[in-house]
Amino acid sequence: MAEALRCSPGGAASRQRRAAEAVRAGHRIGVMKNRLFALIQEGGPPMKIISVLKPRSVTQIPEPPLARFLFADTRIAWLWLLVRLYVGYEWLTAGLEKLTGYNFAFGAGFGQRVSSPWVFSGHDGVALQGFVKGALALSSGPHAAVQGWYAAFLQHVVLPNAGLFAYMVTFGEVLVGLGLIFGALTGIAAFFGVFMNLNFMLAGAVSINPILGTLGLLLMLAWRIAGYYGLDSLLLPLLGTPWTGSLLSRLRAQRTEPLEAGAGGR
């Protein structure tokens, strides 16, 4: 896993293998298209046509070179570092403002008190209640900005538990910001950031959410290299993935293999 993170895909052997796979996939698709056109021209039964469309074996269509370069090549990891820092900065400053009530965004108002804290203030959830009530006001009319089903969720779930959701939103924004800035579990941090962006937009708050949501989706696609210049260069090889296993499990397997081989020899 560590070598996969540090080495860009390529090499003559891998290129030849991908080219051969592409040729085989193109041949299979061509054969299927010819059979399908012949059946349609002959007026074949619908079930037979469906049987042609349904693949009998798994066919993996190789990624385009541009997608591999953008989302899996460490040579472009510097771009995702810039995206990460920007999105993480936006989330962290928003979360710190809710946590303390002070402005942490760089600019003329840096360090100034701008609102009451959302949490640890003795009136937790009051600010969130105001946000939810504003969203509910946008849920009526012929072209409502807030859908009815989401307004029901806000009214019956979020509003009665505004204090709990205030803590979830505040610390969620702080943790997403820190995760993206330090490149720690970047894909997971970006996922939760996009989830919050989606909820803010469903509540009628547009602002910068479409931009952060789009960048967050791109970071999710580039999770393998988005944290290359960050803690993910250590965490991903150590933790592994569900389909590769963790480094610890592989080390344990390597230690037990000689023992099992020796026991078999006896």
Side-chain angles (χ1 to χ4, degrees), residues 6-266:
R6 290 175 171 80
C7 299
S8 60
S14 62
R15 284 197 297 270
Q16 291 175 358
R17 185 173 61 254
R18 288 195 297 269
E21 291 174 355
V23 170
R24 287 195 295 269
H27 175 70
R28 287 193 294 268
I29 293 172
V31 171
M32 186 180 71
K33 286 169 62 178
N34 292 335
R35 290 180 58 195
L36 179 61
F37 290 151
L39 280 173
I40 293 174
Q41 289 175 356
E42 294 171 1
M47 293 305 296
K48 197 167 185 180
I49 295 175
I50 292 173
S51 68
V52 173
L53 287 173
K54 185 179 179 180
R56 291 189 175 89
S57 61
V58 177
T59 300
Q60 291 187 349
I61 301 176
E63 287 181 291
L66 180 60
R68 287 200 307 271
F69 176 69
L70 287 176
F71 302 126
D73 195 323
T74 55
R75 289 176 295 178
I76 201 66
W78 62 269
L79 175 63
W80 299 114
L81 170 64
L82 298 178
V83 175
R84 247 180 49 216
L85 292 176
Y86 169 69
V87 179
Y89 161 79
E90 292 290 343
W91 278 119
L92 183 60
T93 53
L96 290 177
E97 181 178 321
K98 292 179 178 63
L99 182 63
T100 64
Y102 289 88
N103 180 20
F104 284 85
F106 294 117
F110 179 81
Q112 296 181 1
R113 189 175 183 86
V114 292
S115 63
S116 298
W118 282 36
V119 294
F120 304 126
S121 61
H123 46 274
D124 301 342
V126 173
L128 184 60
Q129 286 177 353
F131 175 80
V132 170
K133 290 176 181 177
L136 293 175
L138 301 174
S139 63
S140 59
H143 302 288
V146 179
Q147 297 294 307
W149 65 270
Y150 194 77
F153 167 73
L154 292 175
Q155 185 170 6
H156 299 294
V157 178
V158 178
L159 202 56
N161 304 286
L164 173 62
F165 278 91
Y167 279 89
M168 291 173 61
V169 171
T170 300
F171 287 101
E173 291 183 352
V174 171
L175 290 175
V176 168
L178 291 174
L180 293 176
I181 289 174
F182 289 103
L185 302 178
T186 304
I188 297 175
F191 168 79
F192 283 106
V194 171
F195 180 75
M196 288 192 288
N197 287 133
L198 178 61
N199 278 272
F200 288 145
M201 288 188 287
L202 286 172
V206 180
S207 184
I208 199 173
N209 286 297
I211 297 174
L212 294 184
T214 301
L215 295 177
L217 286 173
L218 294 174
L219 286 170
M220 289 171 59
L221 292 174
W223 69 273
R224 289 169 290 182
I225 58 169
Y228 181 76
Y229 295 113
L231 295 179
D232 276 350
S233 60
L234 301 174
L235 290 176
L236 291 185
L238 181 63
L239 298 177
T241 60
W243 53 91
T244 62
S246 66
L247 178 63
L248 184 60
S249 64
R250 292 198 297 272
L251 290 175
R252 285 175 178 171
Q254 291 175 1
R255 288 173 185 168
T256 56
E257 281 176 1
L259 296 176
E260 293 174 354
R266 291 174 191 156

